[in-house]
Amino acid sequence: MRYVIIGNSVAACGCIEAIRKVDLQNPIIVISDEKYRVYSRPLISYYLAGKVDESKMYIRDEDYYEKNKVEPILGEKAISVDFKNKEVVLDDNSKVKYDKLLIATGGKPFVPPTKGFELKNVFTFIKFDDVKAIDEAIKNGAKKAVVIGAGLSGLKAAEALIKRGLEVTVVELANRILGSILDLEASKIVQDEIEKHGIVFKLETSVDEIIGDGKVEKVRLKNGEVLDSDIVVFAIGVVPNIDFLKGTELKINRGIVVDEHMRTNIEDVYAAGDCAEGYDFVFEQQRVIPIWPNAYNQGETAGYNMAGVEKTFDRGFPMNSIGFFDVHMITAGIVVPNSDDIEVLVKHDKEKNAYRKIYVKNGRVLGFMFINSIDRAGMITNMIKEGLNVESIKHRLLDDDFGYLDLPKELRQEKILGGAKA
Amino acid sequence: MAKKIFPKEEVCVGCHLCEVYCVYAHSKYKKPTPKAHELIKLYNKYKDSKPTPRILVEEKSGEWTTFALQCRHCDDAPCTKACITGAMKKLEDGRVICDEEKCVGCWSCIMACPHGAVRRGENKKAASKCDLCLELGEPACVKNCPNEALVIKEV
């Protein structure tokens, strides 16, 4: 038995760790086009800001591969998969045989066709090498930056760049920032805070052309404005990194379609993480959920099943915890409801700039946005996951001292003691 | 077999001493039982803010019930799966610990912990959580609870 994983991020970790819980012997081969051992992509903005150094980018110990009997093939790209002969083909045309395959290739930056994209100092913001290149540009004197996209990664990029002393303008097509995790009202609160740190927003417009002689000098926006700029960072979003599998018999919708075992339509082939399209339990549909815990959980589920232990994962839904400067927020589930029968609970403590909004339908939490009042938020995330009826306690959910004491004694003890007796 | 601390709400009086001993046990003194002058010295360090214990005493106005909750060291520890740095990890002995040097304070663990048992530590820089005081042999909260409202058991 040979396990092969294409991709080397957190979904791969989940897979390796699950396999090794049940199979200590058979080889696991990990293939990645990046030369680094497993590192954290969310940490690239921290690296750029100078908050973590290279040694802290790695999410597992140095002997991780050795300890888990993993053979890493790093710095080599998988260019195709021969599903019939069960082989992964690498860019040097060598072949890697598999018995069970996990495709965990993650996402790749989405960049709309833009004039001037080929100029020097135009970057994307996903990989370690991206921020190393941006760092180099700053060291070479870049002073002004334009970031395209006011989502999670765009704003983390903007935050890092302003901490490095650059002037930063963020351009966003939508009418609000952080559109994937906040509604308009919550987004305003966060935008106000971020603006206090000097980041300038241009909303409801996008980049028309990047102008420069060899390297970036200006950015022209669709609204006609022209901004001076030394660097441009595209951080609009990610799309599944699966181009090399298109046109094969692998079933692909937006991502690689998987069932609750992370199985694809091809026998012995599994997919997990940002390249996979699994079931979203809150939205009740197949979706790509490009978030870290989902990738781990999907990778883990795939790993168990690849090793012959049947496990399912059918409780995926979006959740995010992120901070900019001193504003921290945790959001989960549905953040912009699209039906009228959803009850909205809101509490805004302007003095503390703390905000909690929760959506409830038929007694169940569908989603929430907590800003600057995030302690114990996992209890609410878990309520979404378990579908707990919160009818009797719903107004307490808005209070930052909400806790187990708000639950009926029996339920509380069951959750705390997990069936044991104190 | 993992060890876990269980709270007995029937006998907890909400004295918060577990918090005091927890802070002490995770200070540079690292002993299960403090001497008074050490405690004063330790708490003097926190002039502007209260120190963060790794335990959480739940109480609610208008209710007499209280109990002290700490990390459940879940078998399936969701915090370790949500952690973006690898700081939060499950050890072979069953404990879940946070490498505070590695933690960047993104609070994904707070988002993921179903018990709300992970706290933001001092200056809200890194996650702070129960490590079962393994270096001390016995958790300081259990050892020093005046009413034996906390018990440690293998489960």
Side-chain angles (χ1 to χ4, degrees), chain A residues 391-422:
Chain A
E391 204 53 50
S392 62
I393 51 166
K394 62 187 178 193
H395 290 284
R396 279 285 297 158
L397 302 178
L398 293 171
D399 295 335
D400 54 14
D401 65 344
F402 166 80
Y404 271 137
L405 278 178
D406 291 295
L407 300 184
K409 185 175 176 184
E410 230 167 71
L411 181 60
R412 156 169 89 236
Q413 296 216 328
E414 183 194 309
K415 282 180 176 293
I416 297 171
L417 305 178
K421 271 208 162 333

mmCIF file of all heavy atoms in Angstrom, chain A residues 391-422:
data_model
loop_
_atom_site.group_PDB
_atom_site.id
_atom_site.type_symbol
_atom_site.label_atom_id
_atom_site.label_comp_id
_atom_site.label_asym_id
_atom_site.label_seq_id
_atom_site.Cartn_x
_atom_site.Cartn_y
_atom_site.Cartn_z
ATOM 1 N N GLU A 391 -33.708 28.464 21.902
ATOM 2 C CA GLU A 391 -34.875 29.330 22.099
ATOM 3 C C GLU A 391 -34.905 29.956 23.502
ATOM 4 O O GLU A 391 -35.110 31.155 23.649
ATOM 5 C CB GLU A 391 -36.142 28.500 21.849
ATOM 6 C CG GLU A 391 -37.362 29.314 21.449
ATOM 7 C CD GLU A 391 -37.133 30.261 20.266
ATOM 8 O OE1 GLU A 391 -36.608 29.801 19.233
ATOM 9 O OE2 GLU A 391 -37.458 31.456 20.388
ATOM 10 N N SER A 392 -34.657 29.127 24.533
ATOM 11 C CA SER A 392 -34.801 29.621 25.898
ATOM 12 C C SER A 392 -33.628 30.492 26.353
ATOM 13 O O SER A 392 -33.722 31.188 27.354
ATOM 14 C CB SER A 392 -34.948 28.437 26.857
ATOM 15 O OG SER A 392 -33.772 27.648 26.785
ATOM 16 N N ILE A 393 -32.519 30.462 25.629
ATOM 17 C CA ILE A 393 -31.345 31.198 26.104
ATOM 18 C C ILE A 393 -30.848 32.215 25.086
ATOM 19 O O ILE A 393 -29.782 32.794 25.239
ATOM 20 C CB ILE A 393 -30.172 30.231 26.418
ATOM 21 C CG1 ILE A 393 -29.913 29.295 25.239
ATOM 22 C CG2 ILE A 393 -30.414 29.452 27.695
ATOM 23 C CD1 ILE A 393 -28.583 28.554 25.311
ATOM 24 N N LYS A 394 -31.644 32.458 24.053
ATOM 25 C CA LYS A 394 -31.063 33.168 22.920
ATOM 26 C C LYS A 394 -30.572 34.579 23.249
ATOM 27 O O LYS A 394 -29.553 34.999 22.703
ATOM 28 C CB LYS A 394 -31.985 33.141 21.705
ATOM 29 C CG LYS A 394 -33.301 33.796 21.857
ATOM 30 C CD LYS A 394 -34.134 33.514 20.619
ATOM 31 C CE LYS A 394 -35.490 34.150 20.793
ATOM 32 N NZ LYS A 394 -36.428 33.666 19.793
ATOM 33 N N HIS A 395 -31.265 35.273 24.145
ATOM 34 C CA HIS A 395 -30.795 36.634 24.405
ATOM 35 C C HIS A 395 -29.521 36.663 25.245
ATOM 36 O O HIS A 395 -28.762 37.621 25.182
ATOM 37 C CB HIS A 395 -31.902 37.489 25.013
ATOM 38 C CG HIS A 395 -32.968 37.758 23.996
ATOM 39 N ND1 HIS A 395 -32.794 38.674 22.978
ATOM 40 C CD2 HIS A 395 -34.158 37.162 23.783
ATOM 41 C CE1 HIS A 395 -33.855 38.644 22.185
ATOM 42 N NE2 HIS A 395 -34.704 37.728 22.655
ATOM 43 N N ARG A 396 -29.264 35.593 25.964
ATOM 44 C CA ARG A 396 -28.011 35.514 26.717
ATOM 45 C C ARG A 396 -26.799 35.329 25.781
ATOM 46 O O ARG A 396 -25.674 35.638 26.145
ATOM 47 C CB ARG A 396 -28.071 34.339 27.713
ATOM 48 C CG ARG A 396 -28.821 34.670 28.994
ATOM 49 C CD ARG A 396 -28.005 35.562 29.913
ATOM 50 N NE ARG A 396 -26.776 34.886 30.359
ATOM 51 C CZ ARG A 396 -25.697 35.531 30.792
ATOM 52 N NH1 ARG A 396 -25.675 36.843 30.835
ATOM 53 N NH2 ARG A 396 -24.635 34.853 31.173
ATOM 54 N N LEU A 397 -27.062 34.819 24.593
ATOM 55 C CA LEU A 397 -25.950 34.577 23.661
ATOM 56 C C LEU A 397 -25.234 35.866 23.263
ATOM 57 O O LEU A 397 -24.108 35.849 22.794
ATOM 58 C CB LEU A 397 -26.452 33.885 22.384
ATOM 59 C CG LEU A 397 -27.163 32.541 22.547
ATOM 60 C CD1 LEU A 397 -27.629 32.030 21.185
ATOM 61 C CD2 LEU A 397 -26.244 31.513 23.186
ATOM 62 N N LEU A 398 -25.921 36.980 23.449
ATOM 63 C CA LEU A 398 -25.319 38.260 23.084
ATOM 64 C C LEU A 398 -24.379 38.786 24.165
ATOM 65 O O LEU A 398 -23.598 39.701 23.930
ATOM 66 C CB LEU A 398 -26.409 39.307 22.828
ATOM 67 C CG LEU A 398 -27.298 39.058 21.615
ATOM 68 C CD1 LEU A 398 -28.453 40.034 21.602
ATOM 69 C CD2 LEU A 398 -26.490 39.194 20.325
ATOM 70 N N ASP A 399 -24.477 38.207 25.360
ATOM 71 C CA ASP A 399 -23.666 38.722 26.470
ATOM 72 C C ASP A 399 -22.296 38.068 26.486
ATOM 73 O O ASP A 399 -22.178 36.856 26.302
ATOM 74 C CB ASP A 399 -24.377 38.460 27.804
ATOM 75 C CG ASP A 399 -25.676 39.249 27.894
ATOM 76 O OD1 ASP A 399 -25.766 40.290 27.210
ATOM 77 O OD2 ASP A 399 -26.592 38.811 28.609
ATOM 78 N N ASP A 400 -21.284 38.875 26.758
ATOM 79 C CA ASP A 400 -19.946 38.282 26.699
ATOM 80 C C ASP A 400 -19.629 37.403 27.912
ATOM 81 O O ASP A 400 -18.594 36.755 27.944
ATOM 82 C CB ASP A 400 -18.850 39.319 26.417
ATOM 83 C CG ASP A 400 -18.872 40.473 27.366
ATOM 84 O OD1 ASP A 400 -19.545 40.358 28.397
ATOM 85 O OD2 ASP A 400 -18.210 41.493 27.080
ATOM 86 N N ASP A 401 -20.532 37.363 28.907
ATOM 87 C CA ASP A 401 -20.313 36.405 29.987
ATOM 88 C C ASP A 401 -21.227 35.178 29.846
ATOM 89 O O ASP A 401 -21.440 34.432 30.795
ATOM 90 C CB ASP A 401 -20.494 37.062 31.364
ATOM 91 C CG ASP A 401 -21.924 37.529 31.603
ATOM 92 O OD1 ASP A 401 -22.691 37.628 30.619
ATOM 93 O OD2 ASP A 401 -22.268 37.804 32.767
ATOM 94 N N PHE A 402 -21.718 34.969 28.621
ATOM 95 C CA PHE A 402 -22.488 33.756 28.357
ATOM 96 C C PHE A 402 -21.612 32.528 28.626
ATOM 97 O O PHE A 402 -20.431 32.525 28.328
ATOM 98 C CB PHE A 402 -22.948 33.747 26.891
ATOM 99 C CG PHE A 402 -23.449 32.411 26.464
ATOM 100 C CD1 PHE A 402 -24.734 32.013 26.788
ATOM 101 C CD2 PHE A 402 -22.626 31.527 25.767
ATOM 102 C CE1 PHE A 402 -25.195 30.760 26.407
ATOM 103 C CE2 PHE A 402 -23.078 30.278 25.387
ATOM 104 C CZ PHE A 402 -24.364 29.901 25.713
ATOM 105 N N GLY A 403 -22.207 31.509 29.226
ATOM 106 C CA GLY A 403 -21.395 30.319 29.507
ATOM 107 C C GLY A 403 -22.253 29.104 29.778
ATOM 108 O O GLY A 403 -23.470 29.094 29.515
ATOM 109 N N TYR A 404 -21.620 28.089 30.330
ATOM 110 C CA TYR A 404 -22.323 26.843 30.613
ATOM 111 C C TYR A 404 -23.456 27.027 31.616
ATOM 112 O O TYR A 404 -24.428 26.263 31.614
ATOM 113 C CB TYR A 404 -21.345 25.791 31.130
ATOM 114 C CG TYR A 404 -20.701 24.973 30.037
ATOM 115 C CD1 TYR A 404 -19.346 24.675 30.069
ATOM 116 C CD2 TYR A 404 -21.454 24.475 28.983
ATOM 117 C CE1 TYR A 404 -18.759 23.909 29.064
ATOM 118 C CE2 TYR A 404 -20.876 23.721 27.983
ATOM 119 C CZ TYR A 404 -19.535 23.431 28.025
ATOM 120 O OH TYR A 404 -18.967 22.679 27.039
ATOM 121 N N LEU A 405 -23.329 28.040 32.483
ATOM 122 C CA LEU A 405 -24.394 28.246 33.467
ATOM 123 C C LEU A 405 -25.720 28.637 32.823
ATOM 124 O O LEU A 405 -26.758 28.586 33.461
ATOM 125 C CB LEU A 405 -23.972 29.302 34.492
ATOM 126 C CG LEU A 405 -23.085 28.789 35.629
ATOM 127 C CD1 LEU A 405 -22.678 29.922 36.548
ATOM 128 C CD2 LEU A 405 -23.814 27.707 36.430
ATOM 129 N N ASP A 406 -25.655 29.039 31.569
ATOM 130 C CA ASP A 406 -26.896 29.376 30.872
ATOM 131 C C ASP A 406 -27.591 28.143 30.300
ATOM 132 O O ASP A 406 -28.712 28.232 29.830
ATOM 133 C CB ASP A 406 -26.600 30.379 29.747
ATOM 134 C CG ASP A 406 -26.195 31.723 30.314
ATOM 135 O OD1 ASP A 406 -27.036 32.355 30.969
ATOM 136 O OD2 ASP A 406 -25.024 32.112 30.146
ATOM 137 N N LEU A 407 -26.900 27.020 30.326
ATOM 138 C CA LEU A 407 -27.508 25.793 29.811
ATOM 139 C C LEU A 407 -28.163 25.027 30.957
ATOM 140 O O LEU A 407 -27.751 25.143 32.112
ATOM 141 C CB LEU A 407 -26.441 24.893 29.174
ATOM 142 C CG LEU A 407 -25.644 25.462 28.001
ATOM 143 C CD1 LEU A 407 -24.708 24.399 27.445
ATOM 144 C CD2 LEU A 407 -26.558 25.975 26.897
ATOM 145 N N PRO A 408 -29.186 24.232 30.663
ATOM 146 C CA PRO A 408 -29.783 23.394 31.699
ATOM 147 C C PRO A 408 -28.721 22.491 32.329
ATOM 148 O O PRO A 408 -27.803 22.040 31.633
ATOM 149 C CB PRO A 408 -30.813 22.550 30.940
ATOM 150 C CG PRO A 408 -31.004 23.222 29.631
ATOM 151 C CD PRO A 408 -29.791 24.042 29.352
ATOM 152 N N LYS A 409 -28.873 22.241 33.631
ATOM 153 C CA LYS A 409 -27.841 21.525 34.385
ATOM 154 C C LYS A 409 -27.427 20.200 33.732
ATOM 155 O O LYS A 409 -26.241 19.893 33.607
ATOM 156 C CB LYS A 409 -28.340 21.275 35.813
ATOM 157 C CG LYS A 409 -27.265 20.642 36.683
ATOM 158 C CD LYS A 409 -27.712 20.501 38.117
ATOM 159 C CE LYS A 409 -26.624 19.767 38.915
ATOM 160 N NZ LYS A 409 -27.009 19.494 40.287
ATOM 161 N N GLU A 410 -28.406 19.446 33.313
ATOM 162 C CA GLU A 410 -28.102 18.132 32.755
ATOM 163 C C GLU A 410 -27.220 18.221 31.501
ATOM 164 O O GLU A 410 -26.228 17.507 31.369
ATOM 165 C CB GLU A 410 -29.406 17.430 32.383
ATOM 166 C CG GLU A 410 -29.482 16.032 32.944
ATOM 167 C CD GLU A 410 -30.888 15.500 32.838
ATOM 168 O OE1 GLU A 410 -31.305 15.220 31.698
ATOM 169 O OE2 GLU A 410 -31.566 15.394 33.882
ATOM 170 N N LEU A 411 -27.605 19.146 30.645
ATOM 171 C CA LEU A 411 -26.868 19.325 29.399
ATOM 172 C C LEU A 411 -25.452 19.827 29.682
ATOM 173 O O LEU A 411 -24.470 19.361 29.102
ATOM 174 C CB LEU A 411 -27.620 20.324 28.503
ATOM 175 C CG LEU A 411 -27.007 20.624 27.152
ATOM 176 C CD1 LEU A 411 -26.897 19.368 26.300
ATOM 177 C CD2 LEU A 411 -27.829 21.682 26.412
ATOM 178 N N ARG A 412 -25.377 20.780 30.609
ATOM 179 C CA ARG A 412 -24.079 21.342 30.971
ATOM 180 C C ARG A 412 -23.142 20.253 31.495
ATOM 181 O O ARG A 412 -21.995 20.141 31.092
ATOM 182 C CB ARG A 412 -24.324 22.418 32.028
ATOM 183 C CG ARG A 412 -23.159 22.718 32.920
ATOM 184 C CD ARG A 412 -23.435 23.948 33.724
ATOM 185 N NE ARG A 412 -24.108 23.712 34.993
ATOM 186 C CZ ARG A 412 -25.240 24.270 35.366
ATOM 187 N NH1 ARG A 412 -25.878 25.079 34.557
ATOM 188 N NH2 ARG A 412 -25.754 24.035 36.543
ATOM 189 N N GLN A 413 -23.678 19.414 32.383
ATOM 190 C CA GLN A 413 -22.820 18.387 32.973
ATOM 191 C C GLN A 413 -22.407 17.351 31.945
ATOM 192 O O GLN A 413 -21.280 16.874 31.955
ATOM 193 C CB GLN A 413 -23.534 17.759 34.165
ATOM 194 C CG GLN A 413 -23.744 18.807 35.255
ATOM 195 C CD GLN A 413 -23.608 18.248 36.656
ATOM 196 O OE1 GLN A 413 -23.939 17.101 36.889
ATOM 197 N NE2 GLN A 413 -23.133 19.064 37.572
ATOM 198 N N GLU A 414 -23.316 17.038 31.069
ATOM 199 C CA GLU A 414 -22.989 16.076 30.018
ATOM 200 C C GLU A 414 -21.849 16.623 29.147
ATOM 201 O O GLU A 414 -20.915 15.907 28.796
ATOM 202 C CB GLU A 414 -24.235 15.837 29.174
ATOM 203 C CG GLU A 414 -24.054 14.811 28.089
ATOM 204 C CD GLU A 414 -25.200 14.893 27.088
ATOM 205 O OE1 GLU A 414 -26.371 14.877 27.511
ATOM 206 O OE2 GLU A 414 -24.897 15.002 25.886
ATOM 207 N N LYS A 415 -21.932 17.923 28.843
ATOM 208 C CA LYS A 415 -20.907 18.512 27.978
ATOM 209 C C LYS A 415 -19.564 18.614 28.698
ATOM 210 O O LYS A 415 -18.516 18.357 28.112
ATOM 211 C CB LYS A 415 -21.346 19.894 27.498
ATOM 212 C CG LYS A 415 -22.359 19.832 26.375
ATOM 213 C CD LYS A 415 -22.760 21.211 25.931
ATOM 214 C CE LYS A 415 -23.691 21.158 24.741
ATOM 215 N NZ LYS A 415 -23.046 20.644 23.528
ATOM 216 N N ILE A 416 -19.598 18.997 29.952
ATOM 217 C CA ILE A 416 -18.343 19.180 30.686
ATOM 218 C C ILE A 416 -17.725 17.835 31.053
ATOM 219 O O ILE A 416 -16.533 17.620 30.910
ATOM 220 C CB ILE A 416 -18.566 20.012 31.976
ATOM 221 C CG1 ILE A 416 -19.047 21.412 31.614
ATOM 222 C CG2 ILE A 416 -17.287 20.076 32.808
ATOM 223 C CD1 ILE A 416 -19.489 22.229 32.805
ATOM 224 N N LEU A 417 -18.557 16.952 31.534
ATOM 225 C CA LEU A 417 -18.016 15.697 32.059
ATOM 226 C C LEU A 417 -17.870 14.631 30.974
ATOM 227 O O LEU A 417 -17.163 13.647 31.180
ATOM 228 C CB LEU A 417 -18.908 15.161 33.186
ATOM 229 C CG LEU A 417 -19.166 16.144 34.339
ATOM 230 C CD1 LEU A 417 -20.098 15.515 35.361
ATOM 231 C CD2 LEU A 417 -17.877 16.575 35.010
ATOM 232 N N GLY A 418 -18.539 14.850 29.863
ATOM 233 C CA GLY A 418 -18.439 13.900 28.759
ATOM 234 C C GLY A 418 -18.796 12.484 29.169
ATOM 235 O O GLY A 418 -18.128 11.530 28.809
ATOM 236 N N GLY A 419 -19.805 12.348 29.985
ATOM 237 C CA GLY A 419 -20.263 11.028 30.388
ATOM 238 C C GLY A 419 -19.627 10.520 31.678
ATOM 239 O O GLY A 419 -20.143 9.606 32.308
ATOM 240 N N ALA A 420 -18.505 11.131 32.102
ATOM 241 C CA ALA A 420 -17.856 10.673 33.344
ATOM 242 C C ALA A 420 -18.557 11.299 34.554
ATOM 243 O O ALA A 420 -19.359 12.212 34.410
ATOM 244 C CB ALA A 420 -16.393 11.074 33.338
ATOM 245 N N LYS A 421 -18.237 10.800 35.723
ATOM 246 C CA LYS A 421 -18.818 11.363 36.942
ATOM 247 C C LYS A 421 -17.728 12.088 37.709
ATOM 248 O O LYS A 421 -16.629 11.585 37.865
ATOM 249 C CB LYS A 421 -19.410 10.252 37.812
ATOM 250 C CG LYS A 421 -20.861 9.948 37.488
ATOM 251 C CD LYS A 421 -21.541 9.417 38.746
ATOM 252 C CE LYS A 421 -23.044 9.448 38.769
ATOM 253 N NZ LYS A 421 -23.775 10.369 38.031
ATOM 254 N N ALA A 422 -18.029 13.282 38.179
ATOM 255 C CA ALA A 422 -17.022 14.057 38.919
ATOM 256 C C ALA A 422 -16.852 13.484 40.325
ATOM 257 O O ALA A 422 -17.768 12.892 40.853
ATOM 258 C CB ALA A 422 -17.425 15.506 39.003
#
